[in-house]
Amino acid sequence: MQALQVLLEEPIRLGSILESSSVQAFSSLTKIIGTLGPKSRSVESIESMLRAGMSVARFDFSWGDEQYHQETLENLKQAVKNTRRLCAVMLDTVGPELYVVNDKDIAIQLVEGEQLILSPPDNNNNNNSNNSSNAAAIAAAAAAAAPCSTKVLSVNYDALAAAVKPGDTIFIGQYLFTGSEDTSVWLEVTETRGTDVICKINNTATLTGTLFTAHVSQVRIELPTLSEYDLRIMSTWGVRNQIDFLSLSYTRHADDVRLARSHLAKFGDLVQTQILAKIENYEGLAQFDEILKEADGIILSRGNLGIDLPPEKVFLFQKVAINKCNFAGKPAVITRVVDSMVDNPRPTRAEATDVANAVLDGADAVLLGAETLRGLYPIETITTVRRIAVEAEKVFNQAVYFKRMIKSTGEPMEHLESIASSAVRAATKVMAAVIVVFTSSGRAARLIAKYRPTMPVLCIVIPRLHTNHLRWSFTGAFQARQSLVVRGLFPMLADPRHSVETSNESILKVALDYGKAVGIVKSHDRVVIFQKSGDSSLVKIIELE
């Protein structure tokens, strides 16, 4: 496993590090996913986030009701229209999440060394409330639970005592162990009594807010990966808004992905929705290879997974997992990189290094959660991550990466991948400013991105006419937006009124004019073009006048 791609053979002049970064109008090659919430849902805020570099908007249904998220999405649509910047939509499922409801919203002071009891709600009908409306389930759990105190917390899972044993570890907090450990508590199970779990408190903490997440380290929770609530939201909110991505929380097996895909396939156009499997517990880690084969991409959820894994193993999982995604040509998304920016306008030095290392490891995108959802500096966070990514991309050793990728692919190479890799090689050799690829399915563009060209790839999606439920429509919008999670791809949707054979030259002119407008191409630059001509694929190099 070779993960370090820094240009060590071309020593960097240390004095250049002191020079200010050049202002870049165009975004980083690495994509940024922002979670929209209380601090980032107004039209003005979303416009600023789009201009700062956000390419995918994530809607986290573990909190907030359907109407709340719909209002936020309408604001996103208006912001996209105002800024003329494309943005994809990601629905993040709840999954088998354990939580504690603090209905009175009182601060709970927990002291190291003392005892804490975790108890299910009195009404067993509400214990597995994950399976109904999430907002209603939380309200029902709160009604059935005893008030939270320094001695007892009520957890929404009546089988917890049967699942754990003495010595097991449980974490509880609003945002689990972010680095500020006085807001999350680390518990050790000492015994079980009936349905109650008796724990020892291992760190002094103050739990604040109305809802705390609970995570039991390396213990299987017998709740479905897709709850009834998740299935309902997919079939209502998801269908109504034609979601581009489904973030499948707590993916444990490849069958979880298959189930989600079969459910999406029931709803017409959602058969095109891509599924990003979220790996966040030991089961998902153990089944990673099979999940990767079935999913369209992977989200490395380092929050919960970082609790299941020993701290010294987290980096190893990240590098190996990203490496596997790269070889498979599927997007790898990294989470939890700048937690401190929830409350601060600058990241820590370690966090800044972490973002850069994720880029150098080969990550396609960085996912921001609490930093943009409830953080005080959502726009500054996106801007900072983007600037760090740009600097890391400058020293990414594409030559070493390219050789490894060619070697791993083996021979004989598939026709389309052979041409795609040749396009990247040609663009590197002639120092092209940009690669332009014409595609209908997006596959050719993703294969080019697999070889990590150092220049942006303008992905021109040619719509195709197809039938669906006895009506004619054009595809292309999904494919264009879905490229927004792939490193280096920047989509343009061609006018469906033009045919592929007669419009490539005119579409190319539009693409290059756009490239000039945003500053990625200029006079006398070389451009590599990848396109299909009949049954053949070809690569050509042009020099702009």
Side-chain angles (χ1 to χ4, degrees), residues 27 33 57 86 170 188 194 217 321 365 443 472 521:
S27 183
I33 302 170
L86 201 60
I170 301 175
E188 181 182 340
S217 182
R443 185 163 179 264
W472 290 92
V521 292

Side-chain angles (χ1 to χ4, degrees), residues 326-368:
N326 290 163
F327 286 156
K330 295 184 177 182
V333 180
I334 209 83
T335 70
R336 301 297 288 268
V337 288
V338 284
D339 286 331
S340 71
M341 291 195 75
V342 170
D343 301 307
N344 300 290
R346 284 171 60 95
T348 66
R349 284 75 171 169
E351 288 172 337
T353 304
D354 191 26
V355 174
N357 278 329
V359 175
L360 296 175
D361 285 344
D364 287 81
V366 171
L367 190 155
L368 302 172

Side-chain angles (χ1 to χ4, degrees), residues 370-391:
E371 302 97 324
T372 57
L373 182 146
R374 65 180 180 92
L376 302 178
Y377 305 97
I379 294 127
E380 292 85 350
T381 300
I382 293 173
T383 301
T384 299
V385 169
R386 169 190 162 193
R387 292 171 70 93
I388 295 170
V390 167
E391 291 298 320

Side-chain angles (χ1 to χ4, degrees), residues 404-480:
R404 288 177 50 221
M405 196 58 62
I406 290 290
K407 184 178 179 180
S408 73
T409 303
E411 296 177 352
M413 188 181 288
E414 187 187 55
H415 169 80
L416 188 61
E417 183 157 5
S418 174
I419 302 299
S421 61
S422 297
V424 176
R425 185 191 295 274
T428 302
K429 293 296 184 182
V430 303
M431 300 180 69
V434 68
I435 299 174
V436 178
V437 56
F438 291 84
T439 181
S440 293
S441 66
R443 185 163 179 264
R446 290 193 298 272
L447 284 173
I448 287 177
K450 176 181 176 181
Y451 290 87
R452 293 291 186 263
T454 56
M455 66 289 298
V457 179
L458 288 183
C459 172
I460 302 176
V461 180
I462 307 296
R464 292 187 298 187
L465 192 64
H466 77 125
T467 58
N468 185 27
H469 293 282
L470 303 179
R471 66 182 175 88
W472 290 92
S473 64
F474 285 98
T475 64
F478 274 98
Q479 289 75 10

Side-chain angles (χ1 to χ4, degrees), residues 388-402:
I388 295 170
V390 167
E391 291 298 320
E393 289 158 5
K394 290 177 182 177
V395 296
F396 181 79
N397 193 333
Q398 194 271 339
V400 171
Y401 180 93
F402 186 91

Side-chain angles (χ1 to χ4, degrees), residues 13-27:
R13 183 174 60 86
L14 289 179
S16 68
I17 297 174
L18 299 176
E19 299 170 1
S20 60
S21 301
S22 57
V23 178
Q24 181 173 323
F26 206 64
S27 183

